Amino acid sequence: MTPSRHPYTPQAQLGAEDARIMELQFEAQDEDVLATARACIGAREFLRTVHLLRDRKSAKARFLSLYSQFMVCRLL
C-alpha cells in the first residue's frame, strides 16, 4: 500500500539535466542583454545594469544584477 499524497505537497523538482537545458535556453534569450550589461559594468554604470537585467531569468543575469546592486550600495 502506498501512502496517499497530501494535496499541498510540492511537485517533484526538475532533474539536473532538465534544469541545465532550461538554464541554457534562458541564457540564449538573454545573450544580447548580458553583453550590454557586461559593458555597463565595465563602464561602472551599475544602476543602468540593474535596470537592464530587471526582468531576466538566467542565473548569469540574476548574478550580474545582484553584483551591480551591491556595487551601487558600496559606492554610496
Side-chain angles (χ1 to χ4, degrees):
M1 182 175 215
T2 59
S4 63
R5 184 182 169 121
H6 191 276
Y8 297 112
T9 304
Q11 295 293 326
Q13 300 218 355
L14 294 175
E17 186 63 29
D18 293 335
R20 182 67 184 144
I21 290 170
M22 188 177 296
E23 182 60 31
L24 288 173
Q25 290 172 347
F26 288 151
E27 286 180 21
Q29 292 171 357
D30 295 348
E31 185 176 359
D32 293 338
V33 176
L34 286 171
T36 305
R38 287 186 189 108
C40 289
I41 289 173
R44 301 179 56 86
E45 295 183 4
F46 301 112
L47 284 175
R48 185 182 307 258
T49 304
V50 173
H51 179 74
L52 281 170
L53 299 173
R54 71 178 180 269
D55 295 327
R56 301 300 166 182
K57 296 181 180 181
S58 70
K60 287 180 183 180
R62 287 191 315 264
F63 172 78
L64 289 176
S65 178
L66 287 171
Y67 172 77
S68 297
Q69 291 173 38
F70 169 76
M71 292 303 290
V72 167
C73 291
R74 187 169 173 240
L75 295 175
L76 292 179

